[in-house]
Amino acid sequence: MQVKLIDLETGDDGSYELPDEIFGLTPRGDILHRVVRWQRARRQQGTHKAKTRSEGSYSGRKIWRQKKTGQARHGDRNAPLFRKGGVYAGPVPRSHAHKLPKRIRRLGLKHALSDKAREKRLHVLNKATSDTPKTAYLNKLLRRRGIHSALIIDGDAVDENFARASRNLPNMHILPAAGANVYDIMRSRRLLITKRGVECLAERLK
């Protein structure tokens, strides 16, 4: 698959051949949905908590005598029946993560990359490095190429100057190839991958 090759420094455009086994698949919504749901479930904190009747602040003594009151029989005031009593079977802290086979995760990443390539929202950068960590300079280079919002995937590691320069741009995010994931790719408006990033992704997904 042929995509556009961009060089931010020189402004020279070209073309780059991407491997079809990773970037040329027909995207499947069900696979993408499964992987995104798996990612979001792992990120969910799961710190929700409701007090049970044993954790209430009322006294534990019997609220009235057992018989001859005309009232129903009750024990302590923390019973779930009463207002401000404990919650029966309420939420407790837990992990929302669930298992997903590795082959589905790899397939989901391939489909996400293929989806961006199919929509012509995927381009290859010659490199993502900068001699200076200046946001204004990087912003000037990106806007000259018409790039206002994008996810950039680099190779093994992210260039420190480039990362610092892009940190103050609200719609620009940069990740190493090892951190590329379906959720961030699908929510990005445009996807930029460096040449080294393509090689790392191909090695990761082979």
Side-chain angles (χ1 to χ4, degrees):
M1 173 176 285
Q2 292 278 347
V3 296
K4 187 177 181 180
L5 176 64
I6 298 174
D7 192 309
L8 293 177
E9 296 287 346
T10 64
D12 295 333
D13 288 343
S15 61
Y16 191 88
E17 184 72 27
L18 292 174
D20 287 337
E21 61 270 16
I22 297 176
F23 298 90
L25 304 179
T26 302
R28 282 180 51 183
D30 59 326
I31 297 292
L32 295 173
H33 175 265
R34 285 182 66 183
V35 179
V36 169
R37 184 171 172 270
W38 171 77
Q39 277 189 247
R40 297 287 285 168
R42 283 168 57 88
R43 293 185 185 186
Q44 192 170 346
Q45 286 186 329
T47 54
H48 35 40
K49 176 71 172 71
K51 289 185 177 181
T52 63
R53 65 182 298 169
S54 64
E55 298 169 322
S57 59
Y58 288 108
S59 170
R61 72 184 292 271
K62 191 172 177 65
I63 53 178
W64 53 69
R65 56 187 292 186
Q66 179 83 349
K67 295 179 178 294
K68 299 181 180 179
T69 62
Q71 302 289 332
R73 297 168 291 184
H74 287 293
D76 78 286
R77 182 64 178 74
N78 292 301
L81 181 66
F82 293 111
R83 183 172 178 269
K84 296 186 179 181
V87 176
Y88 172 72
V92 294
R94 68 181 180 90
S95 171
H96 290 266
H98 57 270
K99 292 182 179 181
L100 190 67
K102 286 185 179 180
R103 63 183 183 85
I104 299 297
R105 286 182 254 164
R106 284 196 294 266
L107 189 60
L109 186 54
K110 290 180 182 180
H111 281 214
L113 294 170
S114 298
D115 181 66
K116 278 289 183 284
R118 190 179 188 182
E119 292 181 350
K120 301 191 182 303
R121 294 180 180 272
L122 188 154
H123 307 301
V124 175
L125 286 178
N126 195 26
K127 59 181 179 178
T129 58
S130 179
D131 296 329
T132 174
K134 296 293 184 181
T135 300
Y137 176 71
L138 178 60
N139 191 36
K140 180 180 178 181
L141 293 179
L142 292 171
R143 289 188 177 276
R144 188 173 65 186
R145 311 301 299 159
I147 302 170
H148 305 283
S149 174
L151 170 66
I152 301 173
I153 298 177
D154 207 346
D156 305 296
V158 176
D159 180 69
E160 182 64 27
N161 285 341
F162 195 92
R164 290 181 63 186
S166 64
R167 197 173 297 164
N168 289 329
L169 299 175
N171 296 318
M172 299 298 301
H173 305 282
I174 184 166
L175 292 172
N181 62 88
V182 174
Y183 178 69
D184 286 334
I185 291 173
M186 295 303 296
R187 70 196 292 262
S188 64
R189 186 174 183 83
R190 186 182 294 186
L191 180 62
L192 305 176
I193 310 177
T194 63
K195 286 183 177 180
R196 180 56 187 157
V198 173
E199 294 172 2
C200 291
L201 286 173
E203 184 177 348
R204 174 182 169 186
L205 298 173
K206 64 180 179 181

